[in-house]
Amino acid sequence: MNVNSTSAGNGGEGTPARESGRPRVRPVTPRASIDSALPDAGDEIAPEKRARVWPLALATLVVVGLLAASLFIGVYDITDGDLGAEMMWITRVPRTVALMLAGAAMAASGLVMQMLTQNRFVDATTSGTTEWASLGLLLTAIVAPSVGLVGRMVVSSLFAFIGAMAFMLILRRIVIRSTLVVPLIGIMLGAVISALTTFLAVQFNLLQMVGTWFMGSFTSVVRGRYEVLWIVAIVTLLVFLLADRITVAGLGREVATSVGMRYETILIAGTALVAVAAGVTTVVVGFLPFLGLVVPNVVATLRGDNVRSNLPWVCLGGIALVTVCDIIGRTIRMPFEIPVSMVLGMVGAVVFITILMRGRSRA
């Protein structure tokens, strides 16, 4: 009799529910699936949800317009005959593709970090991940200077993974009484690694090279030097494939394990994706501060916490933000360029402070 009363298909009624601690999570039975734990699961086919496709299409058109503008903004006149067309394919197209790939990957990486740490103030730059990537890049230049771009990318991603996992382990071993403690730990960890990197750079006369990495810019992106960035496109695709599992992992270890998911595996896989994105981006264009922090927070504020439904918006937002900042950097002091990281840092800092103040007013 007890078996019949708790069989699958009764929607969980009459079965003791497991408390998740999150108000939007539906009760989970011992036989529940991952889909049942997702926020707003089961509502995707509602007619009103289908009607919401057109804002995404409109946003896509806006981003395409920004990318098209990026192709035609610059000092050199690309309408100047055959030479102009050649310059278009040598510099403008690679730069625009790099903006698209790096913007989408770093914004998606920020979303993954925030879900895995359950903290909205964490991304690759506030967790020290990019500083670890820079340290790996410097050690490669010191120990094996003849290593090519792919080799430096691998070492940089490996160090970024080590740094991200160290950050996760530190979070597990301390009692977190405030959400602001988490990014503070990451920033302090990044400051220590940055100081070590600078010290080594001074010792081996590589300070100028390190300064280039810290100052993210798309100025040097040309044909033949940006193609490795397609790796972060694969990373973004994998984030889409793991979106539901990352969402459930973001609900906490208890909820994730209750639906039969291997929490540790998703944690390591998500951290590895973030590390690869940070490592490859650092090698090609340098740091892009606050990109993974600002965009996911704005999207989550408007749409909620479902990773799968938010990912297209996060990717579009990342592309739009980094493209706008790059265009500003190119035009504000033409014919000179301001690195995109400077513009992005100012914009990101303002949004970051706004998010902190809004959180304080709600407390």
Side-chain angles (χ1 to χ4, degrees):
M1 183 172 63
N2 291 335
V3 172
N4 293 336
S5 64
T6 58
S7 61
N10 62 1
E13 296 179 4
T15 303
R18 198 180 182 91
E19 293 296 333
S20 67
R22 299 285 294 267
R24 299 182 61 191
V25 180
R26 302 192 325 187
V28 179
T29 68
R31 297 174 63 86
S33 64
I34 293 177
D35 290 342
S36 67
L38 293 173
D40 297 327
D43 296 336
E44 297 296 335
I45 60 175
E48 55 270 22
K49 290 289 181 68
R50 290 179 179 175
R52 294 176 186 172
V53 173
W54 70 266
L56 184 62
L58 182 61
T60 304
L61 287 177
V62 172
V63 171
V64 170
L66 288 172
L67 293 175
S70 172
L71 290 173
F72 294 96
I73 293 177
V75 176
Y76 197 87
D77 182 12
I78 60 171
T79 62
D80 185 17
D82 294 338
L83 187 57
E86 187 176 356
M87 290 298 293
M88 165 77 91
W89 290 107
I90 291 176
T91 61
R92 299 288 176 80
V93 171
R95 182 172 188 151
T96 303
V97 173
L99 286 168
M100 182 179 64
L101 295 175
M106 292 308 295
S109 298
L111 177 61
V112 172
M113 283 293 286
Q114 289 167 21
M115 295 303 295
L116 295 181
T117 60
Q118 297 179 291
N119 191 292
R120 294 191 183 281
F121 303 123
V122 176
D123 77 335
T125 54
T126 59
S127 63
T129 305
T130 50
E131 282 79 2
W132 279 90
S134 180
L135 176 61
L137 197 54
L138 177 65
L139 291 178
T140 305
I142 295 173
V143 177
S146 60
V147 171
L149 193 62
V150 176
R152 282 181 283 170
M153 179 194 67
V154 171
V155 175
S156 180
S157 299
L158 180 62
F159 270 75
F161 179 73
I162 294 172
M165 290 305 299
F167 175 67
M168 295 288 188
L169 291 176
I170 292 173
L171 294 184
R172 286 190 176 187
R173 293 183 176 276
I174 63 173
V175 178
I176 300 174
R177 301 185 184 280
S178 170
T179 55
L180 296 180
V181 171
V182 177
L184 285 178
I185 292 172
I187 291 171
M188 287 190 292
L189 182 62
V192 171
I193 300 303
S194 179
L196 175 61
T197 303
T198 304
F199 173 76
L200 292 175
V202 171
Q203 293 296 315
F204 291 92
N205 198 23
L206 295 172
L207 192 58
Q208 185 174 2
M209 182 186 295
V210 172
T212 304
W213 297 335
F214 279 94
M215 194 63 70
S217 174
F218 291 85
T219 305
S220 60
V221 175
V222 294
R223 187 173 63 193
R225 198 181 176 278
Y226 83 100
E227 286 78 0
V228 293
L229 266 180
W230 283 106
I231 294 175
V232 300
I234 299 174
V235 170
T236 307
L237 178 62
L238 291 176
V239 171
F240 270 95
L241 295 177
L242 295 175
D244 289 343
R245 296 179 183 278
I246 292 173
T247 301
V248 178
L251 299 176
R253 180 194 298 271
E254 290 187 4
V255 175
T257 54
S258 70
V259 296
M261 197 182 78
R262 295 181 179 180
Y263 177 78
E264 300 292 343
T265 302
I266 295 300
L267 184 67
I268 294 174
T271 305
L273 293 177
V274 173
V276 172
V280 175
T281 306
T282 301
V283 169
V284 179
V285 299
F287 289 2
L288 298 176
F290 297 113
L291 182 60
L293 179 67
V294 170
V295 177
N297 271 288
V298 172
V299 173
T301 301
L302 298 174
R303 296 179 49 82
D305 290 329
N306 191 300
V307 173
R308 179 173 294 282
S309 64
N310 284 355
L311 259 178
W313 289 95
V314 169
C315 291
L316 289 174
I319 296 170
L321 181 58
V322 75
T323 303
V324 168
C325 291
D326 185 62
I327 290 175
I328 292 174
R330 273 190 265 177
T331 56
I332 197 170
R333 284 201 64 198
M334 194 177 284
F336 303 102
E337 286 194 18
I338 296 175
V340 67
S341 63
M342 292 183 63
V343 183
L344 199 54
M346 288 187 285
V347 174
V350 171
V351 177
F352 186 62
I353 292 173
T354 303
I355 293 171
L356 291 178
M357 294 181 69
R358 288 190 58 174
R360 182 184 177 87
S361 63
R362 290 177 179 176

